[in-house]
Amino acid sequence: APNGNIVAFITRRKATGNGIIGQLPPVYIVSKDNGYTWSDPKKVDEKASVDELAMTHSDGSSFVFDGVIYIGFIGGNFGDGKYSFYASVDNGETFLKRSEGMFENKPYKRNYYYMTCKALDDGSFIVYSYNQEDDQNLPYVISKDKGYTWSEVRTTFLEKRIRAGQLSEKIGDYYFMTGRSGKHDADIPWCLVLYASKDGINWDRGIYLNKVQLGLDSYTANEVVGKYDSSSPKKLLIQSSISYSGYGRVNIHHWWIENIDVSENTK
C-alpha cells in the first residue's frame, strides 16, 4: 500500500473430486509492521455472495496508482462468473466496488479463471481475461476513468499463446507478460513463455524461458524490484512453478530481466 501496509488476499476454496469449488467470498488481512503481525481477516465486500466475488488471481490482478490500491475479482464457483473491480483509498483498510460486469459483452462463451490488470502509461487501466477456446487471442478491456466504466471487449494476438498470463508494471520501455504457452492442444503447451510490449497491448513474438510438459508448470508471478528506491537499478523478477518429477511435483524457479534502461530519455 502507499503508506507501507502489506495487504494479503485469501481465497476460501475447497478441493473436491470435480475440481475446486468456491465456498465463501474472499477475505483480506493487513500488516502494518512489514509482515510480523497481521490484522483479523475482513471481508472484501460484506454484501457480495460467492457468485459475485470468489477469487482474485495472484498479485497480477492488483496494482497501486496515484495512491490508490486497485484489484480485480472473479465470481462464480469455477471462476467463470462476473468480473468486478475494487479500490481502496485508505491503504487497504477498506475496499469499495468501482464497477462490475466487465467482459459481459464478450463474443465467446465464457471467461475462465484467469485475469491480470495494471495501469498503462496514459493513466488508463487494462484488464486481461482468458478465453478457454482461443488462448492465442487474449481478451481485454480498457478503463479511462479509473475503473468506473470499461470499453467493449477487444483482443490482442500472442503467437505462442498464453494461459494464466501475468502482466508486469512498465520497466524502462517495456511491459512484460509471463504465463503458460497455451492449453493441452497447443503446439507446445504448459511451457513458460515471456512476451514484451511497449504499450501493454501489442506484444512481440515471445520466447520460451523453460520447456517442461510434466503438468502444473508455468504458473507465474512477476514484480519490478527496486521501484521504491530511486537510487536502485530496476529489474524484473519472474517466478514460476516448474515440475521436477511427474504431475503435480513442482518447485519455484526464478528468472531476472536486468540492465533495463530506465533513464529519463527512455520514458
Side-chain angles (χ1 to χ4, degrees):
N3 72 342
N5 285 354
I6 301 173
V7 185
F9 294 91
I10 301 166
T11 299
R12 296 187 286 176
R13 298 183 287 173
K14 184 173 76 172
T16 73
N18 295 321
I20 299 175
I21 308 295
Q23 296 296 302
L24 293 168
V27 296
Y28 67 98
I29 53 179
V30 178
S31 175
K32 299 181 179 180
D33 57 7
N34 297 316
Y36 287 103
T37 62
W38 295 85
S39 70
D40 291 333
K42 307 176 186 179
K43 291 183 178 179
V44 176
D45 187 337
E46 293 281 350
K47 299 178 181 178
S49 69
V50 74
D51 290 331
E52 300 168 303
L53 203 64
M55 60 182 291
T56 187
H57 192 258
S58 304
D59 57 344
S61 294
S62 63
F63 60 93
V64 175
F65 182 79
D66 279 352
V68 179
I69 303 172
Y70 295 98
I71 183 164
F73 287 95
I74 309 170
N77 282 338
F78 289 95
D80 56 358
K82 288 185 176 182
Y83 282 37
S84 55
F85 197 71
Y86 283 73
S88 174
V89 299
D90 56 9
N91 296 292
E93 298 293 339
T94 60
F95 285 84
L96 294 175
K97 185 189 294 182
R98 283 279 169 102
S99 54
E100 64 181 358
M102 301 112 79
F103 298 98
E104 283 196 347
N105 62 340
K106 60 188 179 298
Y108 50 92
K109 185 177 179 181
R110 66 172 184 167
N111 297 302
Y112 182 75
Y113 235 75
Y114 305 115
M115 69 184 305
T116 185
C117 53
K118 288 290 183 285
L120 300 178
D121 263 356
D122 62 0
S124 62
F125 297 168
I126 187 167
V127 177
Y128 281 102
S129 179
Y130 176 67
N131 176 6
Q132 224 180 355
E133 300 165 7
D134 181 5
D135 51 17
Q136 204 162 36
N137 292 283
L138 198 63
Y140 69 92
V141 292
I142 296 281
S143 174
K144 295 185 178 296
D145 58 7
K146 294 184 170 57
Y148 288 102
T149 62
W150 297 88
S151 70
E152 74 281 0
V153 179
R154 305 164 186 170
T155 61
T156 187
F157 180 75
L158 293 159
E159 181 177 298
K160 294 176 174 61
R161 304 175 180 264
I162 199 160
R163 177 183 172 103
Q166 296 286 287
L167 176 63
S168 78
E169 297 177 35
K170 194 170 190 181
I171 179 169
D173 283 343
Y174 295 98
Y175 301 88
F176 295 93
M177 189 181 293
T178 56
R180 306 178 83 183
S181 59
K183 54 188 178 181
H184 303 280
D185 58 355
D187 295 333
I188 307 179
W190 299 1
C191 298
L192 179 60
V193 64
L194 168 72
Y195 295 96
S197 168
K198 288 195 171 184
D199 62 6
I201 297 173
N202 299 289
W203 298 90
D204 67 3
R205 300 184 65 182
I207 60 171
Y208 293 110
L209 296 184
N210 196 69
K211 291 184 179 180
V212 180
Q213 295 172 296
L214 298 176
L216 297 181
D217 295 304
S218 307
Y219 288 105
T220 70
N222 59 65
E223 183 60 84
V224 176
V225 175
K227 64 183 177 182
Y228 297 115
D229 183 355
S230 60
S231 65
S232 172
K234 312 297 186 295
K235 52 186 179 179
L236 188 73
L237 171 64
I238 299 169
Q239 295 180 317
S240 177
S241 59
I242 299 296
S243 291
Y244 61 86
S245 176
Y247 188 86
R249 296 179 176 90
V250 298
N251 276 326
I252 301 298
H253 287 215
H254 301 252
W255 290 258
W256 291 98
I257 299 178
E258 301 180 87
N259 301 317
I260 302 171
D261 189 350
V262 292
S263 67
E264 289 296 325
N265 293 331
T266 67
K267 290 183 179 177

